[in-house]
Amino acid sequence: MAVFRCGRFPEGDVPIHTTKGLVEFRGGRAVVDDPEVAAALREVPDVFGITEEGRREPPAGRPAQSAPKAAWVGWAVGHGMDRSIADGLTKTELIGLADQIDPDPEED
């Protein structure tokens, strides 16, 4: 069983489309028993603010420079930046921050 929260719609009953069908969030929360549906919820675009209770993943590796902005936002959030701040930055600004944090990622 996995419990998810929807930051974009924290109240009311809202269906969220996934690759495995609709998931109904009630009061901003959905309880999912199907592992395939849970995996599909983890892939929902960041704009919905879907988070999984109790799941903390280590920050992902630095995205490729050609990666979409959403990947860079996820990287920044994984390194402690507030999502609303990261969303407000451009992709170029996010890459600049990454360069400050890890100026030579190839040597890791």
Side-chain angles (χ1 to χ4, degrees):
M1 179 179 76
V3 179
F4 292 86
R5 297 244 175 229
C6 179
R8 183 167 185 187
F9 303 107
E11 298 182 24
D13 296 345
V14 178
I16 300 291
H17 293 272
T18 73
T19 57
K20 295 296 179 182
L22 288 175
V23 176
E24 187 75 28
F25 280 76
R26 298 183 189 282
R29 185 173 184 265
V31 178
V32 177
D33 290 322
D34 185 330
E36 289 183 7
V37 174
L41 273 171
R42 293 181 193 111
E43 300 298 319
V44 170
D46 289 341
V47 70
F48 289 97
I50 304 294
T51 57
E52 186 174 355
E53 290 182 5
R55 182 180 177 107
R56 175 124 174 117
E57 295 181 19
R62 182 179 170 147
Q65 209 159 359
S66 60
K69 179 185 174 189
W72 283 97
V73 168
W75 182 87
V77 170
H79 282 79
M81 182 177 281
D82 182 84
R83 181 169 297 279
S84 64
I85 293 171
D87 282 334
L89 297 174
T90 66
K91 178 180 164 181
T92 302
E93 290 170 325
L94 291 164
I95 292 169
L97 287 172
D99 289 342
Q100 290 174 10
I101 293 170
D102 189 7
D104 198 0
E106 299 302 316
E107 290 187 12
D108 287 344

